[in-house]
Amino acid sequence: ILNPAISGIENYVDVKLSMRNQWVGIPGAPTTFYATIHGPIGKSDFKSNATSFDMKGVNPRGRQYWEEYTASPPHHGIGMTIMNYRTGYINRFTTYGTYAYHLGIGNKTTLAAGFGAGISGTNIDRSKIELANPIDPAIGASGADVSNISPELNAGLWLYGAQYFAGISAHQIIPTKVALNDSALYGSTLVPHLFATAGYRMFMTEDWTVLPSMMARYVQSMPLYVDFNIKFQYQDRLWLGGSYRLKEGYAFMAGVNISQTFNISYSYDINNASYLIGPMQKGTHEIVLGFLLNNGYGDMCPRNVW
């Protein structure tokens, strides 16, 4: 969702389906659905030792595995993203294809560059607008719904290795005017969104790893949003995590890798901005279903995005 350079980063075709229900209890609160799929082209990693296979009593992703980690040969990745965002009477639908190229720049380090291109559509459903005064120039006089189609372009870089990752990306690179009614006087502008992410993985024991990470998001004329995250993972089986966004709120997350083809994760967010919507809402729920297709190596969890 955030960085197209990740396309094709793993050995399998990665599919994600997500539903997010935000600010439960508030009428017209945002809901988001997305579906993503991406996979590699010409990528071939090879198992190099017995500990790469899941044997009883052995952690296949223990210290030895990561000490012998090597960068993948140069390869391509392609993908597709479909997303629908609805809040109140506004619905926004986005779909775009992605491409990335992964190049090893060291024995254990790879740099990927990617971009995504497609379209976004915004729809105003006037039947959901209730006005005390039916004459409002910001709504328009025709009474008809308003729909807009605009181009979608994003790009990013992703640097990754056995213990760390760092990325930068930009969404909505092309600023686009969106009309909110049948008059050119009232509208909105879709402006670029910039993201920066970084994380580092450490071993606590042979079976447990901890991953602190951060994400910063910049949007013109908006405050800088910064998330601090931490994730604890047990072998390749399950993980627990938390996130704190400065001046905004925090979240709790958990996930289980049920098999070599399916995983599931869940998050619960709490907004602590009580002066805005805090007392009115009951938190935010999101569930993500993951499918690992053509998983020839039998990976239980990602090798390069964790």
Side-chain angles (χ1 to χ4, degrees), residues 236-238 255-264 289-290 300:
D236 288 354
R237 294 293 178 178
L238 59 89
V256 180
N257 301 314
I258 296 175
S259 70
Q260 297 172 353
T261 57
F262 178 67
N263 54 66
I264 185 171
L289 306 179
M300 285 291 292

Side-chain angles (χ1 to χ4, degrees), residues 70-82:
T70 57
S72 300
H75 66 278
H76 308 269
I78 58 173
M80 184 176 184
T81 295
I82 299 173

Side-chain angles (χ1 to χ4, degrees), residues 48-97:
S48 58
N49 58 72
T51 60
S52 297
F53 298 90
D54 191 1
M55 298 181 295
K56 186 175 182 180
V58 175
N59 180 7
R61 297 290 183 94
R63 296 177 189 270
Q64 183 178 350
Y65 178 94
W66 296 109
E67 289 172 355
E68 298 180 359
Y69 174 98
T70 57
S72 300
H75 66 278
H76 308 269
I78 58 173
M80 184 176 184
T81 295
I82 299 173
M83 181 159 33
N84 191 81
Y85 173 81
R86 177 182 294 274
T87 177
Y89 54 83
I90 300 174
N91 189 83
R92 186 161 185 246
F93 177 82
T94 302
T95 181
Y96 55 87

Side-chain angles (χ1 to χ4, degrees), residues 9 11 21 29 31 33 75 90 101 103-104 123 132-133 183 187 198 203 258 270-271 289:
I9 197 170
N11 291 316
N21 191 1
T31 58
F33 167 81
H75 66 278
I90 300 174
Y101 184 71
L103 178 66
N123 177 263
N133 182 356
S183 170
F203 270 91
I258 296 175
I270 298 175
N271 189 297
L289 306 179

Side-chain angles (χ1 to χ4, degrees), residues 5-11 39-45 71-78 99-104 110-113 160 304:
I6 290 177
S7 299
I9 197 170
E10 300 295 345
N11 291 316
I41 299 177
K43 187 175 191 290
S44 59
D45 290 342
S72 300
H75 66 278
H76 308 269
I78 58 173
Y99 167 81
Y101 184 71
H102 299 253
L103 178 66
T110 302
L111 177 64
Y160 60 97
N304 296 304

Side-chain angles (χ1 to χ4, degrees), residues 20 22-23 26 225-228 243-252 268-284:
R20 179 176 175 84
Q22 190 169 336
W23 303 337
I26 297 180
Y225 292 97
V226 181
D227 293 9
F228 296 97
S243 178
Y244 174 70
R245 177 173 294 172
L246 290 178
K247 300 180 181 180
E248 287 290 319
Y250 47 92
F252 303 98
Y268 177 71
D269 304 10
I270 298 175
N271 189 297
N272 63 6
S274 58
Y275 59 92
L276 294 174
I277 62 171
M280 302 171 59
Q281 52 94 25
K282 300 177 182 178
T284 297

